[in-house]
Amino acid sequence: MRVSKFTGVAAGIAAAALLAGCSAGGGQAASGDQHVTLWMYPVVPDEAANKSFWDGTVAAFQKEHADITVDYEIFPWANRDEALQTAIAAGKGPDLVYLVPDQLAAYQKSIAPLNDLLSAERQKDLLPNVKDSVTIGGDLLGAPVLTSAQPLVCNAAVFEQAGVTEYPRTWKDVERLAPTFAAKGLYMLNYPASAENTLNLTYYPLLWQAGGEVYDKDGEVGFDSKEGEKALTFLTTLAEQKALDPEALTTNVPLEQTAIAQGKVACTFNNAVTEIEPFWGAENVKVLAPLKEEKSIAYGTVGSLAVLKGSKAPKAAAAFAEFATGADVVKPFLTAAGYFSALGSTEPLYPDNPLLSEVEKYVPDTTVGQLGTSSRALMGVLSPEIQAALLGQKSPADALKDAAAAAAPILKKK
Protein backbone atom coordinates (compact mmCIF):
# COMPACT_ATOMS: atom_id res chain seq x y z
CA MET A 1 0.00 0.00 0.00
CA ARG A 2 1.30 3.46 -0.86
CA VAL A 3 1.71 5.99 1.93
CA SER A 4 1.18 9.54 0.76
CA LYS A 5 1.75 12.99 2.19
CA PHE A 6 0.47 16.06 0.40
CA THR A 7 1.26 19.66 1.28
CA GLY A 8 -0.85 22.53 -0.01
CA VAL A 9 -3.06 20.38 -2.24
CA ALA A 10 -6.73 19.77 -1.58
CA ALA A 11 -7.23 16.20 -0.35
CA GLY A 12 -10.05 15.53 -2.79
CA ILE A 13 -7.98 16.61 -5.78
CA ALA A 14 -5.01 14.56 -4.57
CA ALA A 15 -7.16 11.48 -4.06
CA ALA A 16 -8.63 11.84 -7.51
CA ALA A 17 -5.17 12.10 -9.01
CA LEU A 18 -4.07 8.94 -7.24
CA LEU A 19 -7.16 7.06 -8.35
CA ALA A 20 -6.33 8.09 -11.87
CA GLY A 21 -2.94 6.45 -11.40
CA CYS A 22 -0.84 9.57 -11.78
CA SER A 23 1.27 11.93 -9.68
CA ALA A 24 -0.39 14.90 -8.01
CA GLY A 25 2.51 17.04 -9.22
CA GLY A 26 3.85 17.66 -12.66
CA GLY A 27 4.51 21.35 -12.12
CA GLN A 28 0.87 22.55 -12.05
CA ALA A 29 0.47 25.02 -9.18
CA ALA A 30 -2.12 27.58 -8.17
CA SER A 31 -1.52 31.34 -8.01
CA GLY A 32 1.57 31.20 -10.17
CA ASP A 33 3.59 29.31 -7.55
CA GLN A 34 6.02 26.62 -8.64
CA HIS A 35 4.92 23.12 -7.73
CA VAL A 36 7.32 20.21 -7.21
CA THR A 37 6.31 16.59 -6.71
CA LEU A 38 8.74 14.02 -5.32
CA TRP A 39 8.43 10.26 -5.54
CA MET A 40 10.31 8.51 -2.74
CA TYR A 41 10.51 4.98 -1.36
CA PRO A 42 10.76 3.61 2.21
CA VAL A 43 14.52 3.99 2.58
CA VAL A 44 13.89 4.40 6.31
CA PRO A 45 12.02 1.21 7.28
CA ASP A 46 10.28 2.95 10.21
CA GLU A 47 7.27 4.52 8.49
CA ALA A 48 6.76 7.15 11.21
CA ALA A 49 10.41 8.23 11.15
CA ASN A 50 10.41 8.33 7.34
CA LYS A 51 7.27 10.49 7.29
CA SER A 52 8.62 12.75 10.03
CA PHE A 53 11.79 13.44 8.06
CA TRP A 54 10.03 14.37 4.84
CA ASP A 55 7.35 16.42 6.62
CA GLY A 56 10.02 18.41 8.41
CA THR A 57 12.24 18.79 5.36
CA VAL A 58 9.40 20.03 3.16
CA ALA A 59 8.26 22.48 5.84
CA ALA A 60 11.78 23.85 6.36
CA PHE A 61 12.34 24.24 2.62
CA GLN A 62 9.06 26.02 2.08
CA LYS A 63 9.89 28.52 4.82
CA GLU A 64 12.87 29.57 2.72
CA HIS A 65 11.06 29.28 -0.62
CA ALA A 66 7.55 30.65 -0.19
CA ASP A 67 6.93 30.48 -3.93
CA ILE A 68 7.56 26.72 -4.15
CA THR A 69 5.06 24.07 -3.07
CA VAL A 70 6.47 20.58 -2.51
CA ASP A 71 4.40 17.41 -2.41
CA TYR A 72 5.83 13.97 -1.82
CA GLU A 73 4.60 10.43 -2.11
CA ILE A 74 6.12 7.28 -0.62
CA PHE A 75 5.78 4.32 -2.97
CA PRO A 76 6.59 0.66 -2.18
CA TRP A 77 9.79 -0.80 -3.58
CA ALA A 78 7.87 -3.50 -5.44
CA ASN A 79 7.11 -2.73 -9.09
CA ARG A 80 8.58 0.76 -8.78
CA ASP A 81 10.04 0.71 -12.28
CA GLU A 82 6.75 -0.30 -13.86
CA ALA A 83 4.93 2.54 -12.08
CA LEU A 84 7.55 5.11 -13.06
CA GLN A 85 7.75 3.95 -16.68
CA THR A 86 3.98 4.16 -17.00
CA ALA A 87 3.86 7.64 -15.51
CA ILE A 88 6.67 8.96 -17.70
CA ALA A 89 5.11 7.48 -20.84
CA ALA A 90 1.81 9.17 -19.98
CA GLY A 91 3.50 12.51 -19.35
CA LYS A 92 2.43 12.37 -15.70
CA GLY A 93 5.70 11.57 -13.99
CA PRO A 94 6.97 13.40 -10.90
CA ASP A 95 9.36 16.34 -10.98
CA LEU A 96 11.81 14.52 -8.72
CA VAL A 97 12.31 10.80 -8.15
CA TYR A 98 14.66 8.70 -6.05
CA LEU A 99 16.84 6.50 -8.28
CA VAL A 100 19.83 4.22 -7.84
CA PRO A 101 22.67 4.21 -10.40
CA ASP A 102 21.45 1.49 -12.76
CA GLN A 103 18.10 3.29 -12.91
CA LEU A 104 19.89 6.52 -13.81
CA ALA A 105 21.30 4.68 -16.79
CA ALA A 106 17.95 3.15 -17.69
CA TYR A 107 16.07 6.46 -17.49
CA GLN A 108 18.88 8.67 -18.80
CA LYS A 109 16.80 9.95 -21.75
CA SER A 110 14.09 11.10 -19.34
CA ILE A 111 16.41 12.81 -16.82
CA ALA A 112 17.40 16.48 -16.86
CA PRO A 113 21.16 16.82 -16.17
CA LEU A 114 21.99 18.78 -13.03
CA ASN A 115 25.27 20.23 -14.33
CA ASP A 116 23.78 23.75 -14.34
CA LEU A 117 21.03 23.14 -11.78
CA LEU A 118 23.03 21.94 -8.78
CA SER A 119 25.39 24.51 -7.27
CA ALA A 120 29.09 24.30 -8.08
CA GLU A 121 29.77 24.22 -4.33
CA ARG A 122 27.61 21.13 -3.86
CA GLN A 123 29.09 19.39 -6.88
CA LYS A 124 32.58 20.04 -5.53
CA ASP A 125 31.59 18.59 -2.14
CA LEU A 126 30.48 15.24 -3.57
CA LEU A 127 32.85 12.37 -2.86
CA PRO A 128 34.66 11.60 -6.14
CA ASN A 129 33.48 8.00 -6.29
CA VAL A 130 29.93 9.07 -5.51
CA LYS A 131 29.94 11.76 -8.20
CA ASP A 132 31.22 9.21 -10.72
CA SER A 133 28.36 6.88 -9.83
CA VAL A 134 25.70 9.42 -10.86
CA THR A 135 27.49 10.80 -13.91
CA ILE A 136 27.09 9.46 -17.44
CA GLY A 137 28.80 11.01 -20.43
CA GLY A 138 29.68 14.09 -18.41
CA ASP A 139 26.09 14.64 -17.26
CA LEU A 140 25.34 14.71 -13.54
CA LEU A 141 22.03 12.83 -13.40
CA GLY A 142 21.23 12.88 -9.69
CA ALA A 143 21.74 14.76 -6.44
CA PRO A 144 23.11 12.04 -4.14
CA VAL A 145 21.15 11.43 -0.94
CA LEU A 146 23.04 8.48 0.49
CA THR A 147 25.71 5.91 -0.06
CA SER A 148 26.67 2.57 1.43
CA ALA A 149 29.74 0.35 1.70
CA GLN A 150 30.16 -3.43 1.63
CA PRO A 151 33.70 -4.09 2.92
CA LEU A 152 34.87 -7.47 4.16
CA VAL A 153 33.25 -8.51 7.44
CA CYS A 154 34.51 -11.52 9.41
CA ASN A 155 33.20 -13.53 12.36
CA ALA A 156 35.80 -13.68 15.14
CA ALA A 157 34.05 -16.66 16.75
CA VAL A 158 34.43 -18.73 13.57
CA PHE A 159 38.12 -17.83 13.33
CA GLU A 160 38.57 -18.95 16.93
CA GLN A 161 36.75 -22.19 16.22
CA ALA A 162 39.07 -22.84 13.26
CA GLY A 163 42.15 -21.94 15.27
CA VAL A 164 43.02 -19.10 12.87
CA THR A 165 44.43 -15.91 14.37
CA GLU A 166 44.87 -13.73 11.26
CA TYR A 167 42.27 -12.13 9.03
CA PRO A 168 42.51 -12.13 5.23
CA ARG A 169 43.52 -9.02 3.33
CA THR A 170 44.10 -10.50 -0.14
CA TRP A 171 42.81 -13.29 -2.34
CA LYS A 172 46.01 -15.20 -1.61
CA ASP A 173 45.20 -15.03 2.10
CA VAL A 174 41.73 -16.42 1.43
CA GLU A 175 43.12 -19.24 -0.72
CA ARG A 176 45.70 -20.10 1.91
CA LEU A 177 43.28 -20.09 4.86
CA ALA A 178 40.29 -21.74 3.17
CA PRO A 179 41.42 -25.38 3.63
CA THR A 180 41.83 -24.84 7.38
CA PHE A 181 38.22 -23.70 7.72
CA ALA A 182 36.94 -26.43 5.39
CA ALA A 183 38.67 -29.08 7.50
CA LYS A 184 36.55 -27.90 10.44
CA GLY A 185 33.31 -27.98 8.42
CA LEU A 186 33.32 -24.19 8.16
CA TYR A 187 33.06 -21.95 5.09
CA MET A 188 35.67 -19.34 4.22
CA LEU A 189 33.36 -16.97 2.33
CA ASN A 190 29.68 -16.36 1.84
CA TYR A 191 28.70 -16.50 -1.83
CA PRO A 192 24.96 -16.58 -2.67
CA ALA A 193 24.74 -17.62 -6.31
CA SER A 194 21.01 -17.98 -6.94
CA ALA A 195 19.54 -15.63 -9.54
CA GLU A 196 17.70 -13.53 -6.96
CA ASN A 197 21.00 -12.06 -5.78
CA THR A 198 22.45 -9.04 -7.55
CA LEU A 199 25.92 -9.47 -9.01
CA ASN A 200 26.76 -6.06 -7.53
CA LEU A 201 27.14 -7.85 -4.20
CA THR A 202 28.64 -11.12 -5.41
CA TYR A 203 30.69 -11.48 -8.59
CA TYR A 204 31.27 -7.86 -9.60
CA PRO A 205 33.33 -6.84 -6.54
CA LEU A 206 35.71 -9.71 -7.30
CA LEU A 207 35.82 -8.73 -10.97
CA TRP A 208 36.79 -5.17 -9.96
CA GLN A 209 39.35 -6.43 -7.45
CA ALA A 210 40.95 -8.45 -10.26
CA GLY A 211 41.21 -5.26 -12.32
CA GLY A 212 38.33 -6.08 -14.66
CA GLU A 213 35.11 -4.32 -15.66
CA VAL A 214 31.65 -5.39 -16.73
CA TYR A 215 31.96 -3.43 -20.01
CA ASP A 216 35.05 -2.78 -22.09
CA LYS A 217 36.10 0.69 -23.31
CA ASP A 218 33.81 0.36 -26.33
CA GLY A 219 30.78 -0.51 -24.23
CA GLU A 220 30.86 -4.15 -25.23
CA VAL A 221 31.17 -7.16 -22.90
CA GLY A 222 34.13 -6.75 -20.57
CA PHE A 223 33.66 -9.61 -18.12
CA ASP A 224 34.73 -12.22 -20.67
CA SER A 225 38.39 -11.38 -20.04
CA LYS A 226 41.42 -12.72 -18.22
CA GLU A 227 40.35 -10.66 -15.19
CA GLY A 228 36.83 -12.03 -15.36
CA GLU A 229 38.10 -15.58 -15.64
CA LYS A 230 40.50 -14.99 -12.76
CA ALA A 231 37.64 -13.82 -10.53
CA LEU A 232 35.43 -16.77 -11.42
CA THR A 233 38.29 -19.25 -11.03
CA PHE A 234 38.90 -17.81 -7.56
CA LEU A 235 35.32 -18.72 -6.69
CA THR A 236 35.22 -22.12 -8.35
CA THR A 237 38.42 -23.14 -6.58
CA LEU A 238 36.84 -22.23 -3.24
CA ALA A 239 33.71 -24.20 -4.18
CA GLU A 240 35.82 -27.25 -5.07
CA GLN A 241 37.56 -26.98 -1.69
CA LYS A 242 34.15 -26.89 0.04
CA ALA A 243 35.03 -23.42 1.30
CA LEU A 244 31.67 -22.08 0.05
CA ASP A 245 28.32 -23.19 1.44
CA PRO A 246 26.88 -25.46 -1.31
CA GLU A 247 23.30 -24.61 -0.32
CA ALA A 248 23.95 -20.90 -0.95
CA LEU A 249 25.04 -21.72 -4.50
CA THR A 250 21.58 -22.94 -5.44
CA THR A 251 19.03 -21.76 -2.88
CA ASN A 252 17.94 -18.34 -1.69
CA VAL A 253 16.63 -18.57 1.88
CA PRO A 254 16.00 -16.03 4.65
CA LEU A 255 19.19 -14.89 6.38
CA GLU A 256 18.25 -16.58 9.65
CA GLN A 257 18.29 -19.95 7.86
CA THR A 258 21.73 -19.54 6.29
CA ALA A 259 25.17 -20.72 7.33
CA ILE A 260 25.93 -17.05 8.04
CA ALA A 261 23.36 -16.99 10.85
CA GLN A 262 24.40 -20.44 12.05
CA GLY A 263 27.96 -19.26 12.68
CA LYS A 264 29.56 -21.42 9.99
CA VAL A 265 30.90 -18.68 7.68
CA ALA A 266 34.20 -16.93 8.35
CA CYS A 267 33.79 -13.83 6.16
CA THR A 268 31.28 -12.09 3.93
CA PHE A 269 31.40 -9.10 1.60
CA ASN A 270 27.73 -9.15 0.67
CA ASN A 271 26.05 -8.64 4.05
CA ALA A 272 25.67 -5.39 5.97
CA VAL A 273 26.94 -5.35 9.56
CA THR A 274 23.46 -4.42 10.76
CA GLU A 275 22.14 -7.65 9.21
CA ILE A 276 24.64 -9.99 10.81
CA GLU A 277 25.25 -8.36 14.19
CA PRO A 278 22.12 -9.95 15.76
CA PHE A 279 23.42 -13.41 14.81
CA TRP A 280 27.14 -12.98 15.46
CA GLY A 281 27.10 -10.56 18.35
CA ALA A 282 28.78 -7.16 18.07
CA GLU A 283 31.92 -8.43 19.77
CA ASN A 284 32.49 -10.97 16.97
CA VAL A 285 31.92 -8.65 13.99
CA LYS A 286 35.26 -7.57 12.52
CA VAL A 287 35.05 -4.92 9.80
CA LEU A 288 38.01 -5.08 7.42
CA ALA A 289 39.16 -3.47 4.18
CA PRO A 290 37.74 -4.94 0.96
CA LEU A 291 39.73 -7.90 -0.29
CA LYS A 292 42.56 -7.12 -2.68
CA GLU A 293 43.90 -8.80 -5.80
CA GLU A 294 44.94 -6.00 -8.15
CA LYS A 295 43.14 -3.47 -5.98
CA SER A 296 41.02 -3.25 -2.84
CA ILE A 297 37.53 -2.16 -3.77
CA ALA A 298 33.95 -2.88 -2.69
CA TYR A 299 30.43 -2.23 -3.86
CA GLY A 300 28.50 0.68 -2.42
CA THR A 301 25.15 1.88 -3.68
CA VAL A 302 24.24 5.54 -4.17
CA GLY A 303 20.68 6.80 -3.90
CA SER A 304 19.97 10.16 -5.53
CA LEU A 305 17.18 12.56 -6.45
CA ALA A 306 16.81 12.97 -10.21
CA VAL A 307 14.91 15.74 -11.99
CA LEU A 308 12.80 14.45 -14.87
CA LYS A 309 12.71 16.30 -18.18
CA GLY A 310 8.92 16.38 -18.01
CA SER A 311 9.07 18.72 -15.01
CA LYS A 312 7.62 22.20 -15.56
CA ALA A 313 9.67 23.50 -12.65
CA PRO A 314 13.16 21.97 -13.02
CA LYS A 315 14.97 24.77 -11.20
CA ALA A 316 12.59 24.52 -8.25
CA ALA A 317 12.92 20.74 -8.24
CA ALA A 318 16.72 20.99 -8.23
CA ALA A 319 16.59 23.57 -5.45
CA PHE A 320 14.62 21.17 -3.27
CA ALA A 321 16.94 18.30 -4.18
CA GLU A 322 19.96 20.34 -3.12
CA PHE A 323 18.27 21.41 0.12
CA ALA A 324 17.06 17.91 1.04
CA THR A 325 20.46 16.34 0.43
CA GLY A 326 22.45 18.93 2.37
CA ALA A 327 24.71 17.57 5.13
CA ASP A 328 22.78 19.00 8.08
CA VAL A 329 19.33 18.31 6.65
CA VAL A 330 19.88 14.71 5.56
CA LYS A 331 21.81 13.52 8.63
CA PRO A 332 18.77 12.19 10.60
CA PHE A 333 17.54 10.42 7.48
CA LEU A 334 20.89 8.68 7.01
CA THR A 335 21.31 7.62 10.62
CA ALA A 336 17.73 6.34 10.81
CA ALA A 337 18.35 4.19 7.72
CA GLY A 338 21.95 3.16 8.51
CA TYR A 339 23.49 4.76 5.41
CA PHE A 340 26.38 7.18 4.90
CA SER A 341 26.85 10.67 3.54
CA ALA A 342 27.73 11.33 -0.09
CA LEU A 343 29.49 14.56 0.86
CA GLY A 344 33.13 15.04 1.70
CA SER A 345 32.40 17.80 4.21
CA THR A 346 30.20 15.64 6.45
CA GLU A 347 31.53 14.75 9.87
CA PRO A 348 31.47 11.02 10.79
CA LEU A 349 27.85 10.03 11.35
CA TYR A 350 28.39 7.14 13.75
CA PRO A 351 31.09 8.13 16.29
CA ASP A 352 29.37 6.10 19.02
CA ASN A 353 28.74 3.00 16.91
CA PRO A 354 31.96 0.95 16.68
CA LEU A 355 30.71 -1.12 13.73
CA LEU A 356 29.13 1.51 11.48
CA SER A 357 31.98 3.93 12.21
CA GLU A 358 34.40 1.32 10.84
CA VAL A 359 32.28 0.66 7.75
CA GLU A 360 32.05 4.41 7.15
CA LYS A 361 35.83 4.57 6.70
CA TYR A 362 35.55 2.47 3.54
CA VAL A 363 32.93 4.59 1.74
CA PRO A 364 35.64 6.21 -0.46
CA ASP A 365 36.79 2.70 -1.49
CA THR A 366 33.46 1.75 -3.06
CA THR A 367 32.03 1.83 -6.56
CA VAL A 368 28.79 1.04 -8.34
CA GLY A 369 30.75 0.03 -11.40
CA GLN A 370 30.05 1.18 -14.92
CA LEU A 371 26.58 2.44 -15.73
CA GLY A 372 24.79 1.09 -18.77
CA THR A 373 21.21 0.75 -19.94
CA SER A 374 21.78 -3.00 -20.26
CA SER A 375 23.12 -3.47 -16.71
CA ARG A 376 20.20 -5.43 -15.32
CA ALA A 377 19.66 -7.50 -18.44
CA LEU A 378 23.35 -8.37 -18.46
CA MET A 379 23.06 -9.79 -14.96
CA GLY A 380 20.22 -11.95 -16.18
CA VAL A 381 22.43 -13.80 -18.64
CA LEU A 382 25.62 -13.79 -16.56
CA SER A 383 24.20 -15.07 -13.23
CA PRO A 384 23.18 -18.55 -14.44
CA GLU A 385 26.53 -19.04 -16.16
CA ILE A 386 28.43 -18.16 -12.98
CA GLN A 387 26.21 -20.57 -11.07
CA ALA A 388 26.90 -23.31 -13.63
CA ALA A 389 30.64 -22.82 -13.17
CA LEU A 390 30.31 -22.94 -9.38
CA LEU A 391 28.36 -26.19 -9.64
CA GLY A 392 31.10 -27.71 -11.80
CA GLN A 393 28.93 -27.86 -14.91
CA LYS A 394 31.17 -25.54 -16.96
CA SER A 395 34.69 -24.23 -16.80
CA PRO A 396 35.03 -20.54 -15.84
CA ALA A 397 36.24 -19.73 -19.35
CA ASP A 398 33.30 -21.49 -21.05
CA ALA A 399 30.78 -19.98 -18.65
CA LEU A 400 31.95 -16.44 -19.36
CA LYS A 401 32.18 -17.11 -23.08
CA ASP A 402 28.59 -18.39 -23.14
CA ALA A 403 27.41 -15.41 -21.08
CA ALA A 404 29.14 -13.02 -23.48
CA ALA A 405 27.43 -14.69 -26.45
CA ALA A 406 24.04 -14.38 -24.74
CA ALA A 407 24.78 -10.72 -23.91
CA ALA A 408 25.60 -9.72 -27.49
CA PRO A 409 21.97 -9.24 -28.63
CA ILE A 410 21.23 -7.26 -25.45
CA LEU A 411 24.08 -4.86 -26.10
CA LYS A 412 22.97 -4.34 -29.71
CA LYS A 413 19.65 -3.00 -28.41
CA LYS A 414 21.25 -0.34 -26.19
Side-chain angles (χ1 to χ4, degrees), residues 50-362:
N50 197 36
K51 180 177 181 297
S52 177
F53 171 78
W54 289 109
D55 284 350
T57 300
V58 167
F61 175 78
Q62 291 185 158
K63 281 184 179 180
E64 297 182 11
H65 302 80
D67 62 332
I68 301 176
T69 298
V70 179
D71 303 334
Y72 75 85
E73 301 178 55
I74 307 298
F75 286 80
W77 292 112
N79 302 315
R80 65 190 187 278
D81 280 312
E82 291 86 340
L84 183 59
Q85 289 166 5
T86 300
I88 290 174
K92 296 179 179 179
D95 299 283
L96 273 175
V97 60
Y98 177 89
L99 299 176
V100 293
D102 65 343
Q103 290 177 305
L104 293 178
Y107 295 105
Q108 182 180 359
K109 293 180 180 179
S110 300
I111 297 173
L114 295 177
N115 304 46
D116 299 322
L117 294 175
L118 208 62
S119 72
E121 181 182 13
R122 171 58 58 80
Q123 293 186 48
K124 186 177 180 180
D125 194 21
L126 292 173
L127 291 170
N129 61 322
V130 170
K131 187 175 182 179
D132 286 346
S133 74
V134 296
T135 301
I136 302 178
D139 286 335
L140 185 70
L141 298 183
V145 181
L146 58 82
T147 186
S148 68
Q150 298 282 162
L152 187 68
V153 184
C154 296
N155 188 338
V158 176
F159 276 73
E160 183 176 355
Q161 187 178 345
V164 177
T165 58
E166 62 173 311
Y167 292 100
R169 295 181 300 166
T170 67
W171 287 15
K172 287 183 175 60
D173 292 338
V174 170
E175 292 166 339
R176 176 169 50 83
L177 295 173
T180 301
F181 286 94
K184 297 282 187 176
L186 303 169
Y187 305 114
M188 182 73 235
L189 286 180
N190 180 51
Y191 192 90
S194 59
E196 297 91 340
N197 295 284
T198 173
L199 295 181
N200 286 331
L201 294 177
T202 54
Y203 177 69
Y204 287 170
L206 299 174
L207 175 64
W208 301 327
Q209 288 166 15
E213 293 287 359
V214 178
Y215 300 95
D216 66 16
K217 60 183 177 61
D218 298 317
E220 301 301 325
V221 167
F223 57 74
D224 183 18
S225 61
K226 63 179 182 179
E227 294 86 3
E229 186 176 347
K230 188 175 187 180
L232 188 48
T233 300
F234 173 69
L235 288 172
T236 56
T237 300
L238 292 176
E240 291 165 2
Q241 295 175 333
K242 302 188 184 304
L244 303 179
D245 176 14
E247 183 178 18
L249 301 182
T250 59
T251 309
N252 194 48
V253 298
L255 181 59
E256 61 269 18
Q257 298 177 22
T258 65
I260 284 270
Q262 295 163 7
K264 295 181 179 180
V265 175
C267 300
T268 176
F269 57 89
N270 35 56
N271 295 96
V273 294
T274 50
E275 288 182 305
I276 57 181
E277 180 185 0
F279 301 103
W280 292 4
E283 70 281 4
N284 288 317
V285 179
K286 304 301 178 186
V287 179
L288 306 167
L291 286 171
K292 180 180 180 181
E293 178 59 13
E294 291 298 319
K295 52 186 175 180
S296 175
I297 192 166
Y299 176 76
T301 192
V302 174
S304 61
L305 299 183
V307 177
L308 297 185
K309 287 181 178 178
S311 172
K312 295 180 181 178
K315 291 184 179 179
F320 179 73
E322 181 153 352
F323 179 87
T325 59
D328 293 335
V329 173
V330 80
K331 180 178 178 179
F333 182 77
L334 297 175
T335 53
Y339 285 100
F340 307 104
S341 175
L343 306 177
S345 62
T346 304
E347 294 294 321
L349 295 178
Y350 302 96
D352 300 322
N353 186 314
L355 296 181
L356 288 177
S357 63
E358 281 298 306
V359 176
E360 191 170 26
K361 294 178 182 178
Y362 297 109

Side-chain angles (χ1 to χ4, degrees), residues 387-409:
Q387 187 179 50
L390 287 167
L391 296 177
Q393 298 167 353
K394 293 185 179 182
S395 70
D398 286 344
L400 295 177
K401 180 180 179 181
D402 290 346

